[in-house]
């Protein structure tokens, strides 16, 4: 039996081979910022919108959808000469948009050295998120990395005098400097950096198949690159390093470089 929740199945156009259909299971949210977990027979090849995606030896795969994804998502599976395809609409979200008018426009222009520095750092982050490790740590779900009031959500955006700012992709959890931060899921640490220009103390954990957590504005990082962590391990302390207005954890989840909404995947 396929486990597809909601109307997606009813709305989906179908072009499938009956036999393969029974062996493909999908669960997750077909929405902007959402993550969908899939399993197909071992040895299957899977494409999302015509692009091949990573499939584990066991046939597990994962896909994710960005903040402004329009959809539909067309999933295509081939296995031993049979093929299966479905088109899933991606539900569109309303983000928190804040209009700020009548303020003097302060355009922050970092000096050229800092521009160069932030570009170099962005490249390190990009590379860490491209890791193609065949782990399946994300399958067990995500726990809250820290406790505290939520002060920023995925997708929100400020518009200054009609000029849209960069959307916010993290989930902000506020707390005093030094608040412990725990691994939301198991994985391998792929990047640690004590002080990036924008994000300050920065930590990336690879949860397998392109799914990663990024933790920023940290005051202290307690793990090393290459280290394996388990869910709930103490990994860092909250801070306000980099360009942060106050102490908080900004937690991001990615599928490679597609930004997902941590609140859609965190369970307990
Ligand atoms: Zn933030």
């Amino acid at each position: 039996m396929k486990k597809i929740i909601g109307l997606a199945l009813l709305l989906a156009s179908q072009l499938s081979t009956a036999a393969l259909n029974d062996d493909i299971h999908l669960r997750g949210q077909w929405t902007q910022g959402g993550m969908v977990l899939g399993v197909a027979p071992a040895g299957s090849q899977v494409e999302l919108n015509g692009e091949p995606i990573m499939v584990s030896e066991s046939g597990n795969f994962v896909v994710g959808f960005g903040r402004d994804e329009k959809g539909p998502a067309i999933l295509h599976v081939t296995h031993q000469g049979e093929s299966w395809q479905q088109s899933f609409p991606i539900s569109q979200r309303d983000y928190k948009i804040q209009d700020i008018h009548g303020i003097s426009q302060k355009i922050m222009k970092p000096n050229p050295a800092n521009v160069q520095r932030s570009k170099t750092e962005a490249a390190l982050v990009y590379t860490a998120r491209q890791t193609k490790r065949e782990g399946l740590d994300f399958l067990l779900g995500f726990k809250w990395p820290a406790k505290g009031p939520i002060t920023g959500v995925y997708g929100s955006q400020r518009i200054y005098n009609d000029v849209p700012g960069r959307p916010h992709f993290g989930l902000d959890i506020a707390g005093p400097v030094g608040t412990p931060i725990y691994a939301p899921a198991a994985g391998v640490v792929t990047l640690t950096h004590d002080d990036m220009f924008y994000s300050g103390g920065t930590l990336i954990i690879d949860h397998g198949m392109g799914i990663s957590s990024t933790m920023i504005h940290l005051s202290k990082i307690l793990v090393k690159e290459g280290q394996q962590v388990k869910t709930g391990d103490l990994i860092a302390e909250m801070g306000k390093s980099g360009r942060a207005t106050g102490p908080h954890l900004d937690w991001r989840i990615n599928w490679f470089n597609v930004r997902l909404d941590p609140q859609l995947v965190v369970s307990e």
Side-chain angles (χ1 to χ4, degrees), residues 133 135-138 141-142 183-190 204-208 211-213 223-224 226-233 235:
R133 187 177 68 88
L136 295 170
D137 297 311
F138 60 91
F142 291 81
V188 176
V189 177
T190 49
I204 300 182
I205 301 172
D206 166 22
H207 304 298
I211 298 293
S212 66
S213 279
V223 289
K224 290 189 166 56
Q227 189 175 329
Q228 293 211 334
V229 296
K230 299 189 301 294
T231 308
D233 280 357
I235 51 170

Side-chain angles (χ1 to χ4, degrees), residues 38-52:
V39 61
S44 294
Q45 284 155 307
V46 183
E47 287 178 5
L48 175 66
N49 301 325
E51 297 288 328

Side-chain angles (χ1 to χ4, degrees), residues 194-196 198-202 216-219 239-244:
D194 283 340
D195 190 23
M196 288 192 169
Y198 286 108
S199 57
T202 301
I216 68 174
H217 305 309
L218 306 170
S219 63
K240 55 177 173 145
S241 54
R243 300 291 169 273

Side-chain angles (χ1 to χ4, degrees), residues 234-256:
L234 179 65
I235 51 170
E237 290 179 8
M238 211 179 270
K240 55 177 173 145
S241 54
R243 300 291 169 273
T245 48
H248 72 283
L249 167 66
D250 184 325
W251 174 33
R252 291 146 190 238
I253 290 192
N254 275 59
W255 175 56
F256 298 105

